[in-house]
């Protein structure tokens, strides 16, 4: 195959520097299948390799630059300033980088052939064009660490900047299990790397608050009073809010509008003939800030012939601390969740938050070292379903009333990429008379929420949020629909910051409105101004 040198732009080569999507670090690239003569021996293989990327609407890796030939010590390459969260780095180097407790598996690392099909789907690579901020670059750093390179500030920064969206897993033609690799790396960092005191305090605040529903509920009163006082608008208009550290600004801006809590009974009987007994995972953020979503989930499940059990004493499933590398805390939450739903005696556990559902389905892997828990964990994982997955599986029976409107459905990464659930929510939405779905450009790219990422890495999260918000607006849809509270908060808040407030709802809320015959105008008004929506704040022009 013909090698093309940097700077040359033959047919099918990378886009010119400065054009949309062009990487500033494009190295030698090779002809794509579109440029090969008919019958060329590698053409079919190229076409097969490009298929996974095409599933998520990604560009060809050729269009971004795909060769990798990195010297030892490439972990020093970075993007941005040598600070984290606006806080000084620790300038340390830990050697050996990893301990013996489940380091990244060399066999899984060896599966990566550096083909580059992950590059167009990786949010941080698309933002910066930095090789070490791509999946294959981070895999290279894992390999370096296993071979003796120290775990230093720069290497940690590249791992921290990964959103864990798993779009690369979808796009990879070689089946590289990047999810297992990054999930093994994060606990190593948390055990072995000493973060600065300020960053450690901030992380402790996040992981000792958000996974605890009781602590979150205790904040509802003060937060609701703060929102009612319009103090947030005053701080924004005066510019005082910008004097806070960027992570605290992000945390303040992401808080959704609070309203009366719509309670969920511990047991709700099926409407008509009972088809199943299901448990509802209430969630931490979902249950506290989006209780309307849980209430809608219960009504939909009951309408579809299910007895619904919502255990009172349930807590976090472990997704948030697990995503942050806090392994011990995450496993403790996992065990409590297993015990809770074993006592409930349900046929299935239904989840309406994509990140939680993805986490529960990995319980067997997470608890593989503990024989007394491993089998129980696998059993719960097998019985867990996303709400859209479950309804499609049992077959909807409740009557749908028309909702004439256009909908921009935004894939939550941990639903589409981690769980492989893409068609089910679309199928349910198309089953409602009057709904027209509008596709998003760059649908494979994460919105920047990614669990706690938008609080820990606010600047890249902001950029990604703006890309996603622009894509949603470009559809001209009446309503944006998603399946995760983090995505909801991220995109709705970004739209409001841009002065482009838009109705946003969860998939199950749209189903609930259709089943109950709620007028479309009422649904859209509640999705724009009701509980869980983004607060109105001054736009840049008003400040």
């Amino acid at each position: 195959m013909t090698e093309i040198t940097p700077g040359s732009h033959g047919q099918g080569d990378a886009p010119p520097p400065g054009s949309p999507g062009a990487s500033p670090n494009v190295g030698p690239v090779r002809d794509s299948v579109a440029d090969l003569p008919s019958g060329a021996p590698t053409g079919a293989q190229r076409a097969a390799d490009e298929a996974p990327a095409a599933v998520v609407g990604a560009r060809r890796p050729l269009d971004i630059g795909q060769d990798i030939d990195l010297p030892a010590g490439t972990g020093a390459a970075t993007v941005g300033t040598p600070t984290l969260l606006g806080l000084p780095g620790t300038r340390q180097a830990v050697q050996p980088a990893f301990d013996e407790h489940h380091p990244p598996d060399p066999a899984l690392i060896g599966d990566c052939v550096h083909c580059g099909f992950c590059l167009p789907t990786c949010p941080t690579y698309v933002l910066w064009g930095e090789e070490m901020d791509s999946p294959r670059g981070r895999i290279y750093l894992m390999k370096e660490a296993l071979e003796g390179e120290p775990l230093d500030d720069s290497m940690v920064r590249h791992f921290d900047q990964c959103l864990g969206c798993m779009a690369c897993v979808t796009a990879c033609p070689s089946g590289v299990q990047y999810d297992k690799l990054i999930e093994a790396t994060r606990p190593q960092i948390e055990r072995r790397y000493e973060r600065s005191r300020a960053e450690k305090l901030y992380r402790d605040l996040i992981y000792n608050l958000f996974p605890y529903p009781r602590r979150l509920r205790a904040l509802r009163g003060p937060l609701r009073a703060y929102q009612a006082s319009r103090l947030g608008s005053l701080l924004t208009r005066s510019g005082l809010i910008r004097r806070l550290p960027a992570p605290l600004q992000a945390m303040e801006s992401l808080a959704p509008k609070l309203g009366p809590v719509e309670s969920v009974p511990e047991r709700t009987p099926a409407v008509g003939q009972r088809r199943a007994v299901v448990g509802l995972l209430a969630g931490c953020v979902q249950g506290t800030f989006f209780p309307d979503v849980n209430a809608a989930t219960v009504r939909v499940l009951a309408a579809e012939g299910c007895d619904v059990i919502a255990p009172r004493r349930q807590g976090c499933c472990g997704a948030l601390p697990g995503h942050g590398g806090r392994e011990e805390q995450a496993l403790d939450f996992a065990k409590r969740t297993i015990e809770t739903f074993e006592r409930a005696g349900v046929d299935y556990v239904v989840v309406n938050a994509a990140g939680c559902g993805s986490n529960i389905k990995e319980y067997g892997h997470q608890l593989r070292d503990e024989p007394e828990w491993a089998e129980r964990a696998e059993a719960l994982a097998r019985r867990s379903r996303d709400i859209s997955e479950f309804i499609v599986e049992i077959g909807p029976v409740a009557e749908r009333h028309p909702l004439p409107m256009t909908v921009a459905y935004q894939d939550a990464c941990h639903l589409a990429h981690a769980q492989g659930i893409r068609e089910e929510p679309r199928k349910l939405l198309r089953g409602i008379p009057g709904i027209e779905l509008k596709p998003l450009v760059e649908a494979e790219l994460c919105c920047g929420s990614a669990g706690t990422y938008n609080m820990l890495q606010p600047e890249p999260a902001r950029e990604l949020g703006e890309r996603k918000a622009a894509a949603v607006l470009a559809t001209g849809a009446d309503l944006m629909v998603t399946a995760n509270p983090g995505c909801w908060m991220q995109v709705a808040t970004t739209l409001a910051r841009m002065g482009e407030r838009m109705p946003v709802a969860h998939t199950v809320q749209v189903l609930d409105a259709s089943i109950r015959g709620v007028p479309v105008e009422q649904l859209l008004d509640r999705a724009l101004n009701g509980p869980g929506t983004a607060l109105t704040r001054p736009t840049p022009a008003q400040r």
Side-chain angles (χ1 to χ4, degrees):
M1 299 175 68
T2 305
E3 182 167 298
I4 303 176
T5 58
S8 66
H9 296 283
Q11 184 183 13
D13 195 6
S19 63
S23 165
N25 297 334
V26 173
V29 296
R30 307 193 187 283
D31 295 336
S32 76
V33 62
D35 308 314
L36 294 174
S38 177
T42 57
Q45 181 178 349
R46 264 291 193 185
D49 283 352
E50 288 186 1
V55 167
V56 294
R59 300 185 300 278
R60 300 176 304 168
L62 177 71
D63 297 331
I64 287 191
Q66 65 179 36
D67 278 7
I68 180 170
D69 185 14
L70 304 173
T74 307
T78 188
V79 65
T81 60
T83 62
L84 290 164
L85 306 170
L87 306 171
T90 59
R91 295 299 175 197
Q92 62 171 301
V94 181
Q95 199 165 18
F98 300 145
D99 60 31
E100 295 182 356
H101 179 66
H102 294 311
D105 188 342
L108 298 184
I109 288 174
D111 288 338
C112 178
V113 298
H114 307 297
C115 67
F117 283 93
C118 59
L119 300 183
T121 68
C122 176
T124 50
Y125 187 85
V126 168
L127 285 182
W128 306 318
E130 168 61 61
E131 184 64 58
M132 291 301 99
D133 284 308
S134 74
R136 69 178 186 181
R138 292 183 177 111
I139 290 173
Y140 189 88
L141 292 181
M142 295 172 197
K143 180 175 179 289
E144 277 197 322
L146 288 172
E147 293 176 351
E149 285 292 318
L151 184 68
D152 60 13
D153 290 353
S154 178
M155 188 181 288
V156 169
R157 180 161 53 253
H158 292 304
F159 291 135
D160 282 350
Q161 286 173 167
C162 173
L163 292 96
C165 68
M166 308 311 168
C168 56
V169 176
T170 300
C172 181
S174 301
V176 175
Q177 298 180 58
Y178 181 82
D179 52 341
K180 297 290 194 299
L181 291 171
I182 194 65
E183 287 165 8
T185 301
R186 295 201 195 279
Q188 293 282 345
I189 293 171
E190 294 309 300
R191 285 196 300 270
R192 299 185 58 73
Y193 179 78
E194 187 65 27
R195 298 186 184 275
S196 69
R197 184 180 179 185
E199 189 187 359
K200 187 176 186 301
L201 286 172
Y202 183 63
R203 284 176 173 264
D204 285 345
L205 169 65
I206 289 174
Y207 295 115
N208 287 314
L209 173 62
F210 288 97
Y212 295 90
R214 285 187 181 180
R215 298 174 192 179
L216 285 177
R217 286 194 293 270
L219 282 180
R220 279 188 60 92
L223 184 56
R224 195 172 179 187
Y226 170 78
Q227 292 178 353
S229 71
R230 300 285 182 174
L231 181 58
S233 293
L234 177 62
L235 293 174
T236 302
R237 188 174 286 108
S238 67
L240 291 175
I241 198 75
R242 294 196 295 274
R243 298 185 182 182
L244 292 175
L248 295 181
Q249 291 184 46
M251 188 182 291
E252 190 274 344
S253 68
L254 286 166
K257 182 178 180 180
L258 298 179
V261 176
E262 191 171 357
S263 61
V264 172
E266 190 164 4
R267 186 180 188 99
T268 302
V271 175
Q273 183 179 357
R274 186 176 71 186
R275 304 167 71 194
V277 178
V278 302
L280 173 67
L281 183 80
C284 309
V285 173
Q286 188 85 289
T288 305
F289 294 129
F290 299 92
D292 287 9
V293 174
N294 283 343
T297 303
V298 170
R299 287 193 294 267
V300 169
L301 287 169
E304 297 293 1
C306 300
D307 281 1
V308 186
I309 311 297
R312 291 290 181 207
R313 296 183 176 273
Q314 59 176 299
C316 177
C317 70
L320 283 179
H323 196 76
R326 301 201 166 201
E327 183 178 30
E328 186 175 345
Q329 184 185 21
L331 293 182
D332 182 49
F333 283 137
K335 292 172 184 177
R336 294 183 191 181
T337 302
I338 292 167
E339 290 176 332
T340 296
F341 286 102
E342 284 178 342
R343 288 194 300 267
V346 296
D347 302 321
Y348 300 93
V349 175
V350 172
V351 187
N352 56 24
C356 299
S358 170
N359 184 63
I360 291 177
K361 289 178 179 180
E362 292 296 322
Y363 273 1
H365 177 74
Q366 294 171 12
L367 289 163
R368 62 194 181 282
D369 290 340
E370 303 186 44
E372 68 276 21
W373 285 100
E375 187 175 338
R376 297 164 68 184
E378 285 284 5
L380 185 66
R382 287 193 299 269
R383 289 187 288 126
S384 297
R385 301 287 191 278
D386 177 74
I387 177 66
S388 63
E389 176 187 25
F390 178 71
I391 294 175
V392 168
E393 185 176 312
I394 66 171
V397 294
E399 181 184 358
R400 267 59 168 168
H401 298 92
L403 287 173
M405 61 179 177
T406 54
V407 168
Y409 177 75
Q410 187 247 331
D411 284 292
C413 292
H414 278 81
L415 192 63
H417 299 307
Q419 298 184 61
I421 297 173
R422 297 180 186 81
E423 184 54 34
E424 290 88 341
R426 289 176 169 84
K427 183 176 182 179
L428 293 176
L429 291 170
R430 290 193 193 101
I432 298 174
I435 282 187
E436 178 187 355
L437 291 186
K438 297 285 189 177
L440 272 66
V441 297
E442 293 189 330
E444 80 283 0
L445 285 185
C446 182
C447 68
S449 172
T452 57
Y453 189 89
N454 52 4
M455 292 183 284
L456 293 170
Q457 303 283 342
E459 288 309 313
R462 181 187 181 101
E463 289 186 62
L464 291 167
E466 290 172 355
R467 289 178 79 113
K468 185 64 69 175
V472 171
L473 288 173
T475 66
D478 301 313
L479 175 72
M480 182 191 120
V481 174
T482 189
N484 198 56
C487 302
W488 179 334
M489 288 190 290
Q490 174 76 352
V491 181
T493 300
T494 303
L495 286 165
R497 187 177 66 244
M498 296 165 61
E500 299 280 0
R501 292 186 74 238
M502 179 179 182
V504 180
H506 192 287
T507 312
V508 77
Q509 290 178 300
V510 181
L511 296 175
D512 176 52
S514 175
I515 291 171
R516 292 193 293 135
V518 174
V520 67
E521 296 80 12
Q522 184 178 330
L523 169 64
L524 293 175
D525 179 69
R526 190 170 182 84
L528 182 65
N529 301 307
T533 57
L535 294 169
T536 304
R537 293 286 175 83
T539 64
Q542 296 172 315
R543 294 177 194 169

